[in-house]
Amino acid sequence: MSEIKISKEDDGKRGRYVAVIDGVEGEGEITWTRPGPDLISANHTGVPDSMAGQGVAKAMLDFMLDDARANGFRIIPVCPFIAKQYAKHPEWSGSFAAKPKAKG
């Protein structure tokens, strides 16, 4: 499997984490907005069919968590994928601005 390369785009009010894989068409993304100085609202995760099953969404989520820890902001898990992963990992609570919803 090729390496997943992730970058961050940030205009101060909104942004996205972007994943690309050399030789694979398309890009994955987590889009977000900034409702406060120390918060981002993770609104949507999208991965094209060309990248399906390669761990792209999880890699972007890990990148976002590392970014939150390094830069001192917390994440509001609006996106269903992110909310579901957070519910499975209560140890991430320091990086989130909401309590995890019960698994179900």
Side-chain angles (χ1 to χ4, degrees):
M1 179 166 27
S2 297
E3 178 187 2
I4 301 167
K5 296 177 185 158
I6 301 171
S7 60
K8 178 181 179 181
E9 298 174 359
D10 182 353
D11 73 5
K13 294 183 181 183
R14 69 187 75 241
R16 66 187 192 134
Y17 296 97
V18 182
V20 296
I21 301 172
D22 286 341
V24 177
E25 193 171 317
E27 60 187 25
E29 69 177 2
I30 294 176
T31 59
W32 52 269
T33 53
R34 188 182 310 276
D38 299 326
L39 287 174
I40 67 167
S41 175
N43 299 320
H44 173 74
T45 302
V47 176
D49 290 344
S50 59
M51 294 181 170
Q54 298 187 53
V56 172
K58 178 69 167 73
M60 289 188 297
L61 175 55
D62 290 343
F63 189 95
M64 181 175 65
L65 286 165
D66 289 344
D67 188 30
R69 291 178 191 117
N71 292 296
F73 63 83
R74 294 178 55 163
I75 301 160
I76 302 168
V78 174
C79 166
F81 168 75
I82 293 170
K84 184 176 180 181
Q85 292 302 309
Y86 177 36
K88 292 179 182 179
H89 296 277
E91 69 273 17
W92 295 348
S93 63
S95 297
F96 283 83
K99 293 191 184 289
K101 293 188 176 160
K103 297 177 221 174

